Amino acid sequence: MSQRKRDGKRSAREALREQRAKEQAQAKRKRTLVVAGAVVAVLAIGTGIGLAVANNSSSGSSTASSGPVTPPAGATGKDNLVIPVGAADAPSTLTIYEDFRCPACDAFEKSFTPTIHQLEDSGQIRTEYHLVTLIDGNLGGTGSLNAANAAACAQTEGKFRAYHDVLYDNQPEEQNDKFADKATLLQLAGKVPGLTTSAFTACVNNGTHNSWVKKSNDAFNSSGFNSTPTVLLNGKSIYGGSNNLTPASLTQMVQQANKGKPAGTVTATPPS
C-alpha cells in the first residue's frame, strides 16, 4: 500500500473519530439541558406549591385572627384569657385547658362534670377554662375555633357552663368537623334556655371572639403544655400520665387542699 493511501485512511479514521466526538459532545449537552430544564421545572412547581401552602396558611391565620381581640364579659386572668366558673373566693382553683373537638376532653367531661359542678356549687373550687384549638391545627378545619367562639359568646350571655356541657354532650367524631357549621352551634344553643338571643346569634355568626380564641391558643402553645385536656389543681397537674385521677380522688384532693379554709361565696348556681 502506498504512503498516500495509508495517509488517506488515517485521515478518514481521524475524521470519523472527530465526527463521533462532536456527536457525543452534542448529545451530552442535550442531556445536560434536559436535566437542567427538569430541575428548573421541579423547583418552579415546588415553589408554587410552597407559595400556595404559605398563602393558605396565611389566609387561614388571618381568618382566625382578623379583627380586634375581644374578651367575653367576665373573662379574667392574664390578658383576660380565662373563663371562670364558680365562686371568685373559692379556696381552690381547678384549671382546665380544653378543645371542644378533642375526644379526650369529651371523655374527661363525661366522667368528671357532675363532680366538678358539685364542687363549684358548694364553693369548694373555682374552675378556670382556657379554650384551645389544637384539633383544628392537627386535622384542619375550624370547628375548635367556631365552638370556642360560640362558648365565649355564651359566657357574655352568662350561660357558659350550660352551653359548654351541651357542646360536649353533642361532640361529633374527631374527623367530622361539624362544629365548623355555625348553624349547628346555634341549633345546639337552643338546648340552653334563654341563650339564643339576637346578640348571641350575631356574636356566633360574626366570630366576635375569634381573635381572642387565637390568643388563648397561642398562650397554651407557649405554656409548655402539649395536650388536651390539661387539668391543674392549684397549679399542679393532676390528670393524665401517672395521675390516676377519678371523680372520688378529685373530691378527696380538693377537700385536703381546702382543709381549714372557708368555702367560697356562691351567689348563684348556673343552670346545667
Side-chain angles (χ1 to χ4, degrees), residues 168-183:
Y168 279 113
D169 285 342
N170 294 272
Q171 187 191 73
E173 293 295 323
E174 185 179 16
Q175 300 287 343
N176 180 359
D177 194 20
K178 190 174 182 180
F179 284 167
D181 180 17
K182 294 177 181 178

Side-chain angles (χ1 to χ4, degrees), residues 45-133:
I45 292 171
T47 301
I49 292 173
L51 288 173
V53 171
N55 288 337
N56 285 339
S57 175
S58 175
S59 64
S61 176
S62 64
T63 298
S65 60
S66 60
V69 176
T70 306
T76 62
K78 183 180 178 182
D79 296 328
N80 293 319
L81 296 178
V82 172
I83 293 182
V85 176
D89 58 347
S92 285
T93 300
L94 188 70
T95 303
I96 303 177
Y97 292 83
E98 284 188 326
D99 181 332
F100 286 108
R101 283 182 73 185
C102 164
C105 298
D106 182 51
F108 171 80
E109 286 295 337
K110 282 181 168 53
S111 295
F112 288 89
T113 290
T115 298
I116 291 173
H117 285 350
Q118 188 276 325
L119 292 170
E120 289 168 348
D121 295 344
S122 61
Q124 300 302 304
I125 63 170
R126 171 188 177 91
T127 307
E128 297 187 343
Y129 288 93
H130 298 254
L131 306 186
V132 180
T133 60

Side-chain angles (χ1 to χ4, degrees), residues 22 82 86 129 143 152 183 213-214 270:
K22 288 180 180 179
V82 172
Y129 288 93
V213 173
K214 182 182 183 299

Side-chain angles (χ1 to χ4, degrees), residues 150-151 154 159-167 185 188-189 192 195 200:
K159 298 181 182 295
F160 170 82
R161 190 173 95 166
Y163 188 58
H164 165 277
D165 294 350
V166 165
L167 288 177
L185 297 172
L188 291 175
V192 179
L195 178 55
F200 173 80

Side-chain angles (χ1 to χ4, degrees), residues 23 42 194 199 203 224 234-236 247:
E23 291 173 353
V42 169
C203 182
N234 297 325
K236 180 182 177 181

